[in-house]
Every structure is written in structure tokens, then in C-alpha cells.
Amino acid sequence: MKNQNETLQQLLDFGLDISQIKDIDFLLEKILSEARRFTNCDAGTIYIKDGNWLAARYSQNDTINTQLAPHRKSVYSNIIIKVDNTSIAGYVAATGNQLNIPDVYQLDPNLPYSFNNSFDDLTGYRTISQLVLPLTSMRGETVGVLQLINAKESNNTITAFDLHDESGISYFAVTAANAIERAKMTREIILRMNRMAELRDPKETGPHVNRVAAYSVALYEGWAAKRGLDQDEIDRTRDILRMAAMLHDVGKVAISDNILKKPGKFTPEEYDVMKLHTVYGARLFPDLYSEFDESAAAVALNHHERWDGNGYPGHISLATLKPLPGYEKEDGTARGKRGEEIPLFGRIVAIADVYDALSNRRCYKEAWDQDEVLETLHKDAGTFFDPELMEVFLDNIEAIRQLGAQFPDDPDAHG
């Protein structure tokens, strides 16, 4: 058991760490990981409250993850729970009460809540102890629920969560809840920028940009792990990438409605104007005050470049739209960026954007069959797309698909 000074230092370190995280998805994953480390437990889930529902945003399970291949993450299907007294997490969200349950299979039948053993039945996992607490901000608002599962002794035998865990984790939860509120504000600002584009272009939806961001982060993580990058660098980079990827098409706000909302095929002249959304998006970040500004500009400008150099807008000046010296083609236009001339984030978002566009219904087309989507992406590796990144993407396709399910186009999909 940790002494009081160790506990205090761990809580202070946690507060400092999460204060530096801007993106809510990365923040939630960090909160869950640190809560599990603090209590030394095998598994856990973090839920975010949305009206009368709880949505499971991240689940971790060391026992199940040991069965996965190296560098693979277990991604759980979206779980939605009603905020009421019938489930354990729902009860905690509804009442604001913290629960410390030694054995979920030995619950008093007179309690209003019960344990849902469907996950255990499906996977063969055995849930025993749970520590479940509300994530309540200093304003008194419950923003989510933290569910910790199967506390472990030093010899890894499962035990109940002790009183030390309860007292320390309560402070932990308040710090986490306030960080979540801040991160939600940052996410909302980004989504509002995207909603401006969505008002102009119905093809650009909130779920689309969330999916593209999630796919981009998963692809980057797979690529970085394959290359043996330091975990601290991976964590810092994916925090920035997710937010930047959400703004990949924000430059469409500057395109005329006559072109943006045209139902038919573009003329060559109209297509040339449409391609300028990449430049307009980059121009929204003229002063690079942070890595986020730099990354958002790079993604907006480069996500339509092609590995073989036949993409757009190419090597041009953002100010004049003219080719940069030395990059003119014979016809006077700018040569496209090719290979690793294209920034990494641009190459990543290019794959994520096309995969999502092909996999989902748009106003002008139906969703493609998944086999057809994957065949097309595989065929276009080395021409449209970075072949190394495409290999990583296809290798992680099951996790990619499950990430996409978290952001359905149907606003009523959660019931």
C-alpha cells in the first residue's frame, strides 16, 4: 500500500499531466489509465453523460489485452446505458453516489441496481470487484462515470478495493471531471468551426470529422509503434493530430454556394475553385502560435496531395496561389507534392478521409461494400497513398471499423 506522501505526489502528478491534454478522447483514455494505475486494477470503463444516457468512451482490460498481438489495442463496441437505478453505472450517474462492490455476483437482490454479466459470458472474463464513482465537476455537474474493475494484490490475485482507494480516487475524480469540462469546451469550439462548413456543405458532417480524426489517430499509433517511437512522443503527437484532423475540410466555408452545393458534376473550372478549399483552410492558421496551429494548417493544405505527385494544391504560395520557384510544371501550374514531401499528418488524413467517404452514405452516393473499399485502398497504395501507412491501416482494419461505430451518422442511433 502506498503511504500518504506517495499518494499525494501521484495525485499532484496526475493533475499536472491532464492539464496539458487538450483533446477529450486522449484525455479520457489518460484518466482511465491513471485511475487503474492508482488503484492497481485489471480493467475499467469511462463513460460520458449525454442527457439521460451514458456512453462508454473507453474500456481497458489487461487480461484480455494480453491475448492481442503486439501493438494492438482492444476496441470495444459502443455501450449505451440509461441513467437510472437499474444498472451499476446508471445508478452512480443518477444518484451521484460512489459504489465499492466486493463481488458483483453477490449483490443483495433487494438493491435497485444489478450486474449485467453479458460481457463476462461473451468473453469468459470474470468480473469480481468494482469501484464506481461519478465524475462530478466543482460546479456540481456529473459529466460521466468511472468504473474500475478487479483490484489486484501484489501477487495479481483479485481482491476488493480498499478504503485507501476510495478516499484517493474521490479527489482524482473531481480533478478529472474539471479537465473533461475544459476539453469538452475545446472540442465544441472545433465542432462549431466544422458546423460552419456543414451549414455550407451538407456532405461535411460532425460524425464524419469525428471518424476521420479517430481513424487518423489509430493509424498514427500503429505507424509509430511499428517504428518504435517513444510513448511520450506518441501521446503528445496524437493529442494534436486528432484536433487537426477534425478541421481538414474547414476551408470549404470560403467556397461559393454555386459550386459547393452544385448537385451535378463540376466543370474543370469549378473543380479548380473547389480544390482551393485546401488553401483557404491553411490560411485560417496564418500565425503559428502552437504545434496545433502548425498541424491544422498542414492537414488542411495537404490532405488531397497524392503519393505519386498528382494531387493538389502542390507547391504553391498561400498568399499568391502561384507555384513556388523551382516547382513549376511546363503548363505553368504547380507540381504536386510527392512521397515524403507531403507532411506525415497530410498523408495520414488522406487515407482516413477517403476510407470514411467510401464507407458511408453521402447525398450523392450509397456506401460502398467494405470488401470493395479495402480492395480500392489496397490498389491505390503507392499512387494515391503512402504504401507504408496503407499497410498499417489495413492491418488494423478491425479496430478502425469499431472506432467508426462510435460516431454513427444517425443522430438517433443510441436509442
Side-chain angles (χ1 to χ4, degrees), residues 18 37 44 54-55 60 105 129-130 151 158 185 271 279 286 294 298 321 353 374 397 402 414:
I18 65 173
R37 187 164 68 92
L54 289 175
Q60 298 171 355
Y105 283 93
S129 58
Q130 286 195 6
I158 303 302
M185 289 177 60
Y271 185 52
V279 176
E294 183 178 357
L321 303 183
D353 188 30
L374 299 183
I397 194 60
Q402 291 189 56
H414 292 170

Side-chain angles (χ1 to χ4, degrees), residues 146-364:
L146 180 61
Q147 187 171 43
L148 303 173
I149 300 168
N150 286 357
K152 296 186 292 186
E153 299 277 14
S154 57
N155 62 0
N156 285 333
T157 59
I158 303 302
T159 186
F161 291 87
D162 62 27
L163 294 178
H164 174 271
D165 291 332
E166 282 197 67
S167 59
I169 206 71
S170 297
Y171 171 83
F172 184 103
V174 172
T175 305
N178 287 313
I180 289 170
E181 281 202 316
R182 291 194 300 270
K184 285 174 71 176
M185 289 177 60
T186 301
R187 172 64 60 86
E188 185 58 31
I189 290 171
I190 292 174
L191 287 175
R192 283 173 183 169
M193 293 180 71
N194 277 306
R195 278 196 287 270
M196 287 191 296
E198 187 177 343
L199 288 172
R200 303 288 318 290
D201 182 5
K203 298 185 292 296
E204 289 303 310
T205 65
H208 166 67
V209 297
N210 274 300
R211 289 191 300 261
V212 169
Y215 301 153
S216 297
V217 170
L219 175 52
Y220 168 74
E221 288 180 316
W223 174 86
K226 184 178 178 182
R227 291 201 167 201
L229 270 62
D230 179 74
Q231 188 60 48
D232 287 342
E233 180 182 351
I234 295 174
D235 290 345
R236 179 181 59 80
T237 302
R238 66 181 183 154
D239 184 32
I240 297 167
L241 172 58
R242 186 186 296 273
M243 294 187 295
M246 294 182 73
L247 294 170
H248 65 281
D249 270 343
V250 71
K252 288 184 177 180
V253 296
I255 302 298
S256 164
D257 279 354
N258 292 334
I259 295 175
L260 199 62
K261 297 182 178 181
K262 182 179 178 179
K265 189 175 180 180
F266 292 142
T267 65
E269 293 77 17
E270 289 170 336
Y271 185 52
D272 285 341
V273 173
M274 187 65 186
K275 290 190 290 188
L276 290 175
H277 79 275
T278 56
V279 176
Y280 297 146
R283 282 178 174 175
L284 289 173
F285 306 93
D287 301 310
L288 304 181
Y289 293 114
S290 67
E291 285 184 275
F292 167 68
D293 293 332
E294 183 178 357
S295 298
V299 167
L301 183 64
N302 295 288
H303 70 284
H304 283 293
E305 297 287 358
R306 288 177 39 157
W307 185 256
D308 63 5
N310 290 317
Y312 64 85
H315 294 276
I316 66 169
S317 163
L318 292 182
T320 66
L321 303 183
K322 294 181 179 179
L324 294 173
Y327 291 99
E328 305 93 342
K329 294 195 295 187
E330 290 185 1
D331 62 2
T333 60
R335 176 175 70 77
K337 297 171 187 173
R338 54 178 174 242
E340 294 190 1
E341 290 178 350
I342 308 166
L344 174 64
F345 282 7
R347 305 194 317 261
I348 287 174
V349 174
I351 294 173
D353 188 30
V354 171
Y355 172 76
D356 192 69
L358 297 180
S359 299
N360 291 277
R361 184 181 181 278
R362 294 287 182 93
C363 59
Y364 56 87

Side-chain angles (χ1 to χ4, degrees), residues 35-145:
R36 290 182 51 233
R37 187 164 68 92
F38 182 81
T39 56
N40 191 35
C41 68
D42 185 58
T45 298
I46 190 165
Y47 300 87
I48 289 298
K49 186 172 179 286
D50 183 8
N52 293 323
W53 297 91
L54 289 175
R57 290 290 291 271
Y58 280 93
S59 291
Q60 298 171 355
N61 190 306
D62 286 349
T63 296
I64 290 178
N65 283 349
T66 57
Q67 304 167 13
L68 299 175
H71 309 309
R72 292 290 188 90
K73 283 187 174 183
S74 178
V75 181
Y76 295 81
S77 297
N78 213 12
I79 300 171
I80 304 297
I81 296 175
K82 184 78 171 176
V83 176
D84 60 22
N85 290 345
T86 56
S87 68
I88 293 173
Y91 171 85
V92 169
T95 64
N97 295 330
Q98 182 171 302
L99 293 177
N100 188 344
I101 304 171
D103 189 339
V104 292
Y105 283 93
Q106 301 298 323
L107 284 175
D108 184 338
N110 294 316
L111 290 170
Y113 52 84
S114 61
F115 172 64
N116 182 343
N117 63 354
S118 59
F119 178 79
D120 285 10
D121 289 345
L122 179 66
T123 63
Y125 186 75
R126 177 71 176 185
T127 302
I128 300 175
S129 58
Q130 286 195 6
L131 179 58
V132 191
L133 55 152
L135 296 172
T136 306
S137 70
M138 295 182 69
R139 296 190 299 113
E141 180 182 353
T142 297
V143 299
V145 169

Side-chain angles (χ1 to χ4, degrees), residues 373-385 390 394:
V373 172
L374 299 183
E375 181 181 347
T376 298
L377 292 177
H378 183 267
K379 175 176 64 69
D380 288 340
T383 53
F384 279 83
F385 308 116
M390 183 57 70
L394 296 175

